[in-house]
Amino acid sequence: MLERARSHPITRSVVRRSSGMANRMLDHAFALAFRGLVYAQIWEDPDVDMKALQIQPDSRIIAIASGGCNVLSYLTANPAAITAVDLNTAHIALNKLKLASARHLPDHAHFRRFFAEADSAANVAAYRAHILPQLDETTRRYWEGRDLSGRRRISGFSSNIYKRGLLGNFIGVAHLLARLYKIDLSNLLAARDVEEQRRVFEREMAPIFDKRFVRWLTDQPASLFGLGIPPAQFDALAGNEPMAEVLRRRLAKLACDFPVEDNYFAWQAFGRSYGRGDRCPLPPYLQAANWQAVRDRANRVDVRHANLTEHLSAQPDATLDRYVLLDAQDWMTDEQLNGLWHQITRTARPGARVLFRTAAEPSLLPGRVNDALLSLWRYDAALSAECTAQDRSSIYGGVHLYELA
Protein backbone atom coordinates (compact mmCIF):
# COMPACT_ATOMS: atom_id res chain seq x y z
CA MET A 1 0.00 0.00 0.00
CA LEU A 2 2.79 2.43 0.96
CA GLU A 3 4.73 1.58 -2.17
CA ARG A 4 1.64 2.18 -4.30
CA ALA A 5 1.14 5.59 -2.67
CA ARG A 6 4.75 6.54 -3.39
CA SER A 7 4.39 5.57 -7.05
CA HIS A 8 1.21 7.61 -7.58
CA PRO A 9 1.80 10.22 -10.33
CA ILE A 10 0.71 13.12 -8.10
CA THR A 11 3.10 11.96 -5.38
CA ARG A 12 5.93 11.71 -7.89
CA SER A 13 5.19 15.24 -9.09
CA VAL A 14 4.90 16.87 -5.67
CA VAL A 15 7.30 15.18 -3.24
CA ARG A 16 10.74 16.81 -3.09
CA ARG A 17 13.04 13.81 -2.90
CA SER A 18 16.12 15.84 -1.95
CA SER A 19 14.38 17.75 0.83
CA GLY A 20 14.36 16.99 4.58
CA MET A 21 12.04 14.51 6.26
CA ALA A 22 9.63 17.17 7.56
CA ASN A 23 9.22 18.69 4.09
CA ARG A 24 8.72 15.29 2.50
CA MET A 25 6.02 14.42 5.03
CA LEU A 26 4.20 17.68 4.23
CA ASP A 27 4.55 16.95 0.52
CA HIS A 28 3.06 13.46 0.99
CA ALA A 29 0.15 14.94 2.96
CA PHE A 30 -0.54 17.42 0.17
CA ALA A 31 -0.30 14.72 -2.49
CA LEU A 32 -2.84 12.63 -0.61
CA ALA A 33 -5.23 15.59 -0.27
CA PHE A 34 -4.80 16.46 -3.94
CA ARG A 35 -5.96 13.09 -5.24
CA GLY A 36 -9.64 13.85 -4.75
CA LEU A 37 -11.68 16.70 -6.20
CA VAL A 38 -9.78 19.94 -5.62
CA TYR A 39 -11.40 22.53 -7.88
CA ALA A 40 -15.07 22.29 -8.86
CA GLN A 41 -14.28 25.65 -10.46
CA ILE A 42 -10.85 26.57 -11.81
CA TRP A 43 -9.33 29.73 -10.28
CA GLU A 44 -7.62 31.31 -13.27
CA ASP A 45 -9.46 34.02 -15.19
CA PRO A 46 -10.28 32.71 -18.70
CA ASP A 47 -10.82 36.21 -20.09
CA VAL A 48 -7.23 37.04 -19.15
CA ASP A 49 -6.06 33.73 -20.61
CA MET A 50 -7.72 34.37 -23.96
CA LYS A 51 -6.38 37.91 -24.11
CA ALA A 52 -2.84 36.63 -23.56
CA LEU A 53 -3.08 33.55 -25.78
CA GLN A 54 -4.68 35.31 -28.79
CA ILE A 55 -6.28 32.04 -29.90
CA GLN A 56 -6.67 31.68 -33.67
CA PRO A 57 -8.83 29.28 -35.75
CA ASP A 58 -5.76 27.11 -36.39
CA SER A 59 -4.55 27.14 -32.76
CA ARG A 60 -3.80 23.76 -31.23
CA ILE A 61 -3.89 24.18 -27.46
CA ILE A 62 -2.58 21.97 -24.71
CA ALA A 63 -3.69 22.88 -21.19
CA ILE A 64 -3.70 21.47 -17.70
CA ALA A 65 -7.36 20.63 -17.23
CA SER A 66 -8.08 21.39 -13.56
CA GLY A 67 -11.85 21.93 -13.15
CA GLY A 68 -12.43 22.36 -16.88
CA CYS A 69 -13.99 25.85 -16.80
CA ASN A 70 -11.18 27.42 -18.81
CA VAL A 71 -10.80 24.58 -21.28
CA LEU A 72 -14.48 24.88 -22.19
CA SER A 73 -14.27 28.67 -22.17
CA TYR A 74 -11.42 28.59 -24.72
CA LEU A 75 -13.91 27.01 -27.15
CA THR A 76 -15.59 30.42 -27.42
CA ALA A 77 -12.39 31.65 -29.18
CA ASN A 78 -12.79 28.93 -31.85
CA PRO A 79 -9.46 27.02 -31.67
CA ALA A 80 -8.80 24.03 -33.91
CA ALA A 81 -8.22 21.62 -31.01
CA ILE A 82 -7.59 21.47 -27.26
CA THR A 83 -5.88 18.69 -25.35
CA ALA A 84 -6.65 18.86 -21.62
CA VAL A 85 -4.29 16.84 -19.41
CA ASP A 86 -4.34 16.28 -15.66
CA LEU A 87 -2.96 13.85 -13.10
CA ASN A 88 -6.04 14.17 -10.90
CA THR A 89 -8.66 11.55 -11.81
CA ALA A 90 -11.46 13.64 -10.26
CA HIS A 91 -10.60 16.55 -12.54
CA ILE A 92 -10.52 14.25 -15.55
CA ALA A 93 -13.99 12.96 -14.63
CA LEU A 94 -15.28 16.51 -14.15
CA ASN A 95 -13.95 17.65 -17.54
CA LYS A 96 -15.56 14.68 -19.25
CA LEU A 97 -18.85 15.33 -17.44
CA LYS A 98 -18.85 18.96 -18.57
CA LEU A 99 -18.11 18.05 -22.18
CA ALA A 100 -20.77 15.33 -22.26
CA SER A 101 -23.24 17.76 -20.73
CA ALA A 102 -22.50 20.38 -23.38
CA ARG A 103 -23.07 17.81 -26.11
CA HIS A 104 -26.11 15.99 -24.77
CA LEU A 105 -28.18 18.14 -22.40
CA PRO A 106 -31.29 19.40 -24.22
CA ASP A 107 -30.63 23.14 -24.03
CA HIS A 108 -28.77 25.96 -22.31
CA ALA A 109 -31.31 26.11 -19.49
CA HIS A 110 -30.42 22.54 -18.46
CA PHE A 111 -26.68 23.23 -18.84
CA ARG A 112 -26.88 26.43 -16.82
CA ARG A 113 -28.91 24.81 -14.04
CA PHE A 114 -26.46 21.90 -13.88
CA PHE A 115 -23.24 23.92 -13.57
CA ALA A 116 -24.24 27.47 -12.62
CA GLU A 117 -26.79 26.60 -9.94
CA ALA A 118 -25.66 23.03 -9.24
CA ASP A 119 -28.15 22.55 -6.44
CA SER A 120 -31.23 20.89 -7.90
CA ALA A 121 -32.42 17.28 -7.79
CA ALA A 122 -33.49 17.87 -11.39
CA ASN A 123 -29.79 17.91 -12.30
CA VAL A 124 -29.36 14.32 -11.17
CA ALA A 125 -32.44 13.32 -13.16
CA ALA A 126 -31.04 15.10 -16.24
CA TYR A 127 -27.70 13.36 -15.70
CA ARG A 128 -29.34 9.94 -15.69
CA ALA A 129 -31.52 10.69 -18.71
CA HIS A 130 -29.07 12.50 -20.97
CA ILE A 131 -25.46 12.26 -19.77
CA LEU A 132 -24.86 8.92 -18.04
CA PRO A 133 -25.43 6.83 -21.21
CA GLN A 134 -22.78 8.90 -23.02
CA LEU A 135 -19.97 8.53 -20.47
CA ASP A 136 -17.08 6.10 -20.74
CA GLU A 137 -16.91 3.39 -18.10
CA THR A 138 -14.18 5.05 -16.00
CA THR A 139 -16.03 8.37 -15.83
CA ARG A 140 -19.31 6.61 -15.10
CA ARG A 141 -17.73 4.72 -12.21
CA TYR A 142 -16.38 7.92 -10.75
CA TRP A 143 -19.71 9.79 -10.72
CA GLU A 144 -21.71 6.74 -9.64
CA GLY A 145 -19.15 6.04 -6.89
CA ARG A 146 -19.34 7.37 -3.36
CA ASP A 147 -17.21 9.94 -1.57
CA LEU A 148 -15.79 9.58 1.95
CA SER A 149 -19.14 10.57 3.49
CA GLY A 150 -20.96 7.84 1.55
CA ARG A 151 -22.74 10.18 -0.88
CA ARG A 152 -22.80 9.42 -4.58
CA ARG A 153 -20.49 11.94 -6.19
CA ILE A 154 -23.07 12.99 -8.77
CA SER A 155 -25.30 14.13 -5.90
CA GLY A 156 -22.99 17.13 -5.56
CA PHE A 157 -24.94 18.73 -8.39
CA SER A 158 -28.11 18.60 -6.30
CA SER A 159 -26.47 20.20 -3.24
CA ASN A 160 -24.04 22.80 -4.62
CA ILE A 161 -20.93 21.09 -5.97
CA TYR A 162 -18.99 24.31 -5.29
CA LYS A 163 -19.15 23.58 -1.56
CA ARG A 164 -17.33 20.30 -2.14
CA GLY A 165 -13.77 19.48 -2.99
CA LEU A 166 -10.61 20.72 -1.34
CA LEU A 167 -11.16 24.34 -2.33
CA GLY A 168 -14.87 24.29 -1.49
CA ASN A 169 -14.08 22.97 1.98
CA PHE A 170 -11.34 25.59 2.42
CA ILE A 171 -13.77 28.40 1.57
CA GLY A 172 -16.31 26.87 3.95
CA VAL A 173 -13.76 26.89 6.78
CA ALA A 174 -12.92 30.53 5.96
CA HIS A 175 -16.62 31.43 6.28
CA LEU A 176 -16.83 29.55 9.57
CA LEU A 177 -13.75 31.32 10.91
CA ALA A 178 -15.20 34.68 9.87
CA ARG A 179 -18.47 33.91 11.66
CA LEU A 180 -16.54 33.17 14.85
CA TYR A 181 -15.38 36.79 14.64
CA LYS A 182 -19.00 37.86 13.90
CA ILE A 183 -18.31 38.67 10.25
CA ASP A 184 -20.55 37.72 7.31
CA LEU A 185 -18.37 37.54 4.20
CA SER A 186 -21.40 37.64 1.90
CA ASN A 187 -22.06 41.26 2.93
CA LEU A 188 -19.54 42.34 0.32
CA LEU A 189 -21.79 41.05 -2.48
CA ALA A 190 -24.48 43.58 -1.59
CA ALA A 191 -22.13 46.53 -2.18
CA ARG A 192 -23.41 48.97 -4.80
CA ASP A 193 -20.04 49.91 -6.28
CA VAL A 194 -16.29 49.34 -5.93
CA GLU A 195 -15.95 52.14 -3.38
CA GLU A 196 -18.49 50.47 -1.11
CA GLN A 197 -16.79 47.11 -1.66
CA ARG A 198 -13.55 48.63 -0.36
CA ARG A 199 -15.29 50.10 2.67
CA VAL A 200 -16.82 46.73 3.53
CA PHE A 201 -13.48 44.99 3.10
CA GLU A 202 -11.54 47.47 5.24
CA ARG A 203 -14.19 47.54 7.95
CA GLU A 204 -15.07 43.87 8.19
CA MET A 205 -12.50 41.61 6.50
CA ALA A 206 -9.07 43.21 6.74
CA PRO A 207 -8.98 43.19 10.58
CA ILE A 208 -9.30 39.38 10.63
CA PHE A 209 -5.71 39.11 9.44
CA ASP A 210 -4.49 40.91 12.57
CA LYS A 211 -5.94 38.23 14.86
CA ARG A 212 -3.23 36.22 16.61
CA PHE A 213 -4.83 32.86 15.83
CA VAL A 214 -5.30 33.73 12.14
CA ARG A 215 -1.68 34.85 11.81
CA TRP A 216 -0.48 31.62 13.44
CA LEU A 217 -2.81 29.45 11.36
CA THR A 218 -1.87 31.00 8.03
CA ASP A 219 1.83 30.50 8.77
CA GLN A 220 1.28 26.72 8.69
CA PRO A 221 1.91 25.35 5.16
CA ALA A 222 -0.87 22.77 5.55
CA SER A 223 -3.42 25.55 6.09
CA LEU A 224 -3.24 26.47 2.39
CA PHE A 225 -3.63 22.96 0.99
CA GLY A 226 -7.25 23.91 0.26
CA LEU A 227 -6.05 26.59 -2.15
CA GLY A 228 -4.10 23.94 -4.02
CA ILE A 229 -0.81 25.40 -2.77
CA PRO A 230 1.76 22.68 -2.08
CA PRO A 231 4.44 23.15 0.60
CA ALA A 232 7.05 23.84 -2.11
CA GLN A 233 4.96 26.82 -3.25
CA PHE A 234 4.32 28.17 0.27
CA ASP A 235 7.66 29.94 0.71
CA ALA A 236 7.48 31.46 -2.78
CA LEU A 237 4.03 32.83 -1.98
CA ALA A 238 5.06 34.22 1.41
CA GLY A 239 8.35 35.77 0.32
CA ASN A 240 9.74 37.55 3.38
CA GLU A 241 6.35 38.48 4.79
CA PRO A 242 3.95 36.79 7.21
CA MET A 243 1.48 34.80 5.14
CA ALA A 244 -1.41 36.73 6.72
CA GLU A 245 -0.17 39.92 5.04
CA VAL A 246 0.13 38.23 1.65
CA LEU A 247 -3.39 36.77 1.92
CA ARG A 248 -4.84 40.10 3.06
CA ARG A 249 -3.36 41.78 -0.02
CA ARG A 250 -4.62 39.08 -2.39
CA LEU A 251 -8.08 39.13 -0.81
CA ALA A 252 -8.18 42.92 -1.07
CA LYS A 253 -7.66 42.66 -4.82
CA LEU A 254 -10.44 40.08 -5.12
CA ALA A 255 -12.80 42.13 -2.95
CA CYS A 256 -12.02 45.66 -4.13
CA ASP A 257 -10.43 45.86 -7.58
CA PHE A 258 -13.34 44.62 -9.71
CA PRO A 259 -17.11 45.25 -9.54
CA VAL A 260 -18.75 42.25 -7.88
CA GLU A 261 -21.48 42.14 -10.52
CA ASP A 262 -18.77 41.22 -13.05
CA ASN A 263 -16.59 38.96 -10.91
CA TYR A 264 -17.80 35.40 -10.46
CA PHE A 265 -14.66 34.58 -8.47
CA ALA A 266 -15.82 37.03 -5.78
CA TRP A 267 -19.24 35.34 -5.75
CA GLN A 268 -17.63 31.95 -5.24
CA ALA A 269 -15.34 33.24 -2.49
CA PHE A 270 -17.85 35.34 -0.57
CA GLY A 271 -21.17 33.69 -1.53
CA ARG A 272 -20.09 30.09 -2.30
CA SER A 273 -22.06 30.10 -5.55
CA TYR A 274 -22.57 32.09 -8.75
CA GLY A 275 -25.65 33.75 -7.32
CA ARG A 276 -29.12 33.62 -8.83
CA GLY A 277 -30.86 35.21 -11.78
CA ASP A 278 -29.90 36.16 -15.29
CA ARG A 279 -27.62 38.98 -14.17
CA CYS A 280 -25.24 36.93 -12.03
CA PRO A 281 -21.67 36.69 -13.40
CA LEU A 282 -20.66 33.41 -15.02
CA PRO A 283 -17.58 31.93 -16.72
CA PRO A 284 -17.68 32.29 -20.52
CA TYR A 285 -18.62 28.64 -21.11
CA LEU A 286 -21.81 29.05 -19.05
CA GLN A 287 -22.99 32.29 -20.62
CA ALA A 288 -26.07 32.01 -22.81
CA ALA A 289 -24.42 33.88 -25.67
CA ASN A 290 -21.72 31.20 -25.87
CA TRP A 291 -23.90 28.12 -25.48
CA GLN A 292 -24.15 27.10 -29.13
CA ALA A 293 -20.43 27.63 -29.75
CA VAL A 294 -19.48 25.50 -26.74
CA ARG A 295 -21.96 22.80 -27.77
CA ASP A 296 -20.83 22.71 -31.40
CA ARG A 297 -17.10 22.69 -30.54
CA ALA A 298 -17.05 20.37 -27.52
CA ASN A 299 -15.81 17.51 -29.69
CA ARG A 300 -12.60 19.46 -30.31
CA VAL A 301 -11.47 18.76 -26.72
CA ASP A 302 -9.45 15.62 -25.97
CA VAL A 303 -9.14 14.88 -22.23
CA ARG A 304 -6.15 12.82 -21.11
CA HIS A 305 -5.14 11.43 -17.71
CA ALA A 306 -1.45 12.15 -18.13
CA ASN A 307 1.64 13.98 -16.97
CA LEU A 308 2.08 17.05 -19.16
CA THR A 309 5.78 16.54 -19.93
CA GLU A 310 5.32 12.85 -20.66
CA HIS A 311 2.38 13.58 -22.93
CA LEU A 312 4.35 16.21 -24.84
CA SER A 313 7.26 13.81 -25.27
CA ALA A 314 5.01 11.59 -27.39
CA GLN A 315 3.91 14.41 -29.71
CA PRO A 316 5.52 15.22 -33.10
CA ASP A 317 7.79 18.23 -33.54
CA ALA A 318 6.23 21.67 -34.21
CA THR A 319 2.58 20.63 -33.84
CA LEU A 320 1.27 22.84 -31.00
CA ASP A 321 1.11 26.57 -30.51
CA ARG A 322 -0.71 27.41 -27.26
CA TYR A 323 0.34 26.01 -23.86
CA VAL A 324 -1.49 26.68 -20.57
CA LEU A 325 0.50 25.50 -17.56
CA LEU A 326 -1.54 27.04 -14.71
CA ASP A 327 0.78 27.18 -11.67
CA ALA A 328 2.20 23.66 -12.08
CA GLN A 329 5.76 24.92 -12.51
CA ASP A 330 5.76 26.20 -8.93
CA TRP A 331 5.83 22.54 -7.91
CA MET A 332 8.75 21.59 -10.12
CA THR A 333 12.45 21.04 -9.58
CA ASP A 334 14.94 22.59 -11.99
CA GLU A 335 15.32 19.22 -13.68
CA GLN A 336 11.56 18.94 -14.19
CA LEU A 337 11.35 22.51 -15.49
CA ASN A 338 14.07 21.92 -18.05
CA GLY A 339 12.46 18.67 -19.15
CA LEU A 340 9.11 20.42 -19.62
CA TRP A 341 10.55 23.36 -21.55
CA HIS A 342 12.59 21.07 -23.77
CA GLN A 343 9.38 19.34 -24.80
CA ILE A 344 7.47 22.60 -25.16
CA THR A 345 10.18 24.04 -27.41
CA ARG A 346 10.40 20.88 -29.49
CA THR A 347 6.64 20.65 -30.06
CA ALA A 348 6.04 24.38 -30.55
CA ARG A 349 5.17 25.90 -33.89
CA PRO A 350 6.56 29.36 -34.83
CA GLY A 351 4.84 32.08 -32.82
CA ALA A 352 3.71 29.65 -30.11
CA ARG A 353 2.61 31.15 -26.77
CA VAL A 354 3.03 29.74 -23.26
CA LEU A 355 0.90 31.06 -20.41
CA PHE A 356 1.40 30.29 -16.73
CA ARG A 357 0.91 31.69 -13.26
CA THR A 358 3.16 31.88 -10.21
CA ALA A 359 2.49 32.28 -6.51
CA ALA A 360 5.20 34.93 -6.30
CA GLU A 361 5.23 37.92 -8.65
CA PRO A 362 8.24 37.31 -10.93
CA SER A 363 8.61 34.60 -13.54
CA LEU A 364 10.42 31.62 -12.07
CA LEU A 365 12.17 30.59 -15.31
CA PRO A 366 15.27 32.85 -15.46
CA GLY A 367 18.20 31.18 -13.72
CA ARG A 368 16.41 27.84 -13.57
CA VAL A 369 15.69 26.92 -17.19
CA ASN A 370 18.79 26.54 -19.36
CA ASP A 371 19.72 29.93 -20.88
CA ALA A 372 20.17 28.50 -24.38
CA LEU A 373 16.66 27.04 -24.23
CA LEU A 374 14.98 30.06 -22.65
CA SER A 375 16.67 32.47 -25.11
CA LEU A 376 14.49 31.01 -27.85
CA TRP A 377 11.46 32.53 -26.12
CA ARG A 378 10.52 36.20 -25.70
CA TYR A 379 8.99 37.25 -22.39
CA ASP A 380 6.19 39.77 -22.91
CA ALA A 381 6.64 41.82 -19.74
CA ALA A 382 4.06 44.47 -20.60
CA LEU A 383 1.27 42.04 -21.45
CA SER A 384 2.17 39.85 -18.46
CA ALA A 385 1.85 42.83 -16.09
CA GLU A 386 -1.43 43.87 -17.71
CA CYS A 387 -2.87 40.36 -17.38
CA THR A 388 -1.71 40.08 -13.77
CA ALA A 389 -3.57 43.29 -12.92
CA GLN A 390 -6.72 42.15 -14.76
CA ASP A 391 -6.92 38.59 -13.37
CA ARG A 392 -10.14 38.69 -11.34
CA SER A 393 -9.34 35.52 -9.38
CA SER A 394 -6.60 37.46 -7.59
CA ILE A 395 -4.90 34.40 -6.06
CA TYR A 396 -1.63 34.54 -7.97
CA GLY A 397 1.27 36.93 -7.77
CA GLY A 398 2.03 36.81 -11.48
CA VAL A 399 0.54 35.91 -14.86
CA HIS A 400 3.31 35.27 -17.41
CA LEU A 401 3.39 34.99 -21.19
CA TYR A 402 6.26 33.73 -23.33
CA GLU A 403 6.28 33.70 -27.13
CA LEU A 404 8.56 31.64 -29.35
CA ALA A 405 10.91 34.12 -30.96
Side-chain angles (χ1 to χ4, degrees), residues 329-330 332-334 337-338 364-371:
Q329 295 176 117
D330 277 0
M332 294 182 179
T333 64
D334 289 4
L337 278 174
N338 279 278
L364 49 70
L365 301 184
R368 297 188 62 189
V369 171
N370 182 276
D371 288 342

Side-chain angles (χ1 to χ4, degrees), residues 218-238:
T218 55
D219 276 336
Q220 312 309 309
S223 69
L224 298 189
F225 283 7
L227 287 175
I229 296 174
Q233 204 175 2
F234 186 90
D235 291 339
L237 178 59

Side-chain angles (χ1 to χ4, degrees), residues 334-354:
D334 289 4
E335 180 182 2
Q336 290 169 327
L337 278 174
N338 279 278
L340 172 62
W341 277 86
H342 170 73
Q343 295 300 337
I344 288 174
T345 304
R346 184 187 63 79
T347 57
R349 299 196 297 198
R353 292 180 168 229
V354 180

Side-chain angles (χ1 to χ4, degrees), residues 203-280:
R203 182 180 67 247
E204 299 184 24
M205 298 183 191
I208 291 179
F209 295 95
D210 293 322
K211 304 296 184 182
R212 181 178 299 178
F213 173 70
V214 172
R215 295 182 79 83
W216 171 85
L217 180 65
T218 55
D219 276 336
Q220 312 309 309
S223 69
L224 298 189
F225 283 7
L227 287 175
I229 296 174
Q233 204 175 2
F234 186 90
D235 291 339
L237 178 59
N240 296 317
E241 296 182 274
M243 183 58 76
E245 295 303 321
V246 176
L247 294 177
R248 173 161 33 198
R249 192 161 57 248
R250 302 281 169 92
L251 192 65
K253 180 182 177 183
L254 177 65
C256 308
D257 284 15
F258 311 97
V260 292
E261 66 266 18
D262 187 43
N263 189 1
Y264 63 85
F265 297 100
W267 277 86
Q268 286 289 344
F270 304 122
R272 307 194 71 191
S273 74
Y274 289 125
R276 289 283 183 177
D278 293 336
R279 296 178 62 84
C280 66

Side-chain angles (χ1 to χ4, degrees), residues 120-339:
S120 170
N123 287 334
V124 178
Y127 159 82
R128 300 210 177 279
H130 302 287
I131 305 169
L132 180 60
Q134 309 298 331
L135 297 178
D136 62 85
E137 182 59 30
T138 301
T139 305
R140 186 182 299 118
R141 282 201 308 269
Y142 177 83
W143 291 110
E144 292 294 299
R146 299 181 184 274
D147 61 20
L148 292 177
S149 65
R151 302 170 296 189
R152 288 196 186 278
R153 294 189 183 98
I154 193 60
S155 70
F157 292 94
S158 66
S159 58
N160 193 348
I161 191 69
Y162 301 107
K163 291 186 177 181
R164 297 194 185 184
L166 203 58
L167 179 61
N169 291 333
F170 176 88
I171 293 174
V173 170
H175 277 256
L176 175 61
L177 187 61
R179 285 198 297 273
L180 293 176
Y181 290 110
K182 301 187 181 342
I183 294 166
D184 184 350
L185 297 179
S186 66
N187 287 343
L188 185 121
L189 301 175
R192 290 165 294 184
D193 51 39
V194 170
E195 288 72 24
E196 187 175 352
Q197 290 170 218
R198 186 166 294 281
R199 288 195 296 273
V200 172
F201 174 80
E202 295 294 347
R203 182 180 67 247
E204 299 184 24
M205 298 183 191
I208 291 179
F209 295 95
D210 293 322
K211 304 296 184 182
R212 181 178 299 178
F213 173 70
V214 172
R215 295 182 79 83
W216 171 85
L217 180 65
T218 55
D219 276 336
Q220 312 309 309
S223 69
L224 298 189
F225 283 7
L227 287 175
I229 296 174
Q233 204 175 2
F234 186 90
D235 291 339
L237 178 59
N240 296 317
E241 296 182 274
M243 183 58 76
E245 295 303 321
V246 176
L247 294 177
R248 173 161 33 198
R249 192 161 57 248
R250 302 281 169 92
L251 192 65
K253 180 182 177 183
L254 177 65
C256 308
D257 284 15
F258 311 97
V260 292
E261 66 266 18
D262 187 43
N263 189 1
Y264 63 85
F265 297 100
W267 277 86
Q268 286 289 344
F270 304 122
R272 307 194 71 191
S273 74
Y274 289 125
R276 289 283 183 177
D278 293 336
R279 296 178 62 84
C280 66
L282 294 171
Y285 84 100
L286 287 176
Q287 295 169 15
N290 295 326
W291 158 246
Q292 198 59 50
V294 171
R295 187 181 185 88
D296 291 346
R297 301 166 186 167
N299 61 359
R300 300 183 191 180
V301 181
D302 179 24
V303 181
R304 299 291 187 95
H305 183 217
N307 172 284
L308 177 60
T309 304
E310 292 174 0
H311 178 81
L312 287 173
S313 70
Q315 306 310 304
D317 293 352
T319 51
L320 300 167
D321 50 21
R322 298 293 186 271
Y323 301 77
V324 183
L325 310 182
L326 306 185
D327 64 337
Q329 295 176 117
D330 277 0
W331 305 17
M332 294 182 179
T333 64
D334 289 4
E335 180 182 2
Q336 290 169 327
L337 278 174
N338 279 278

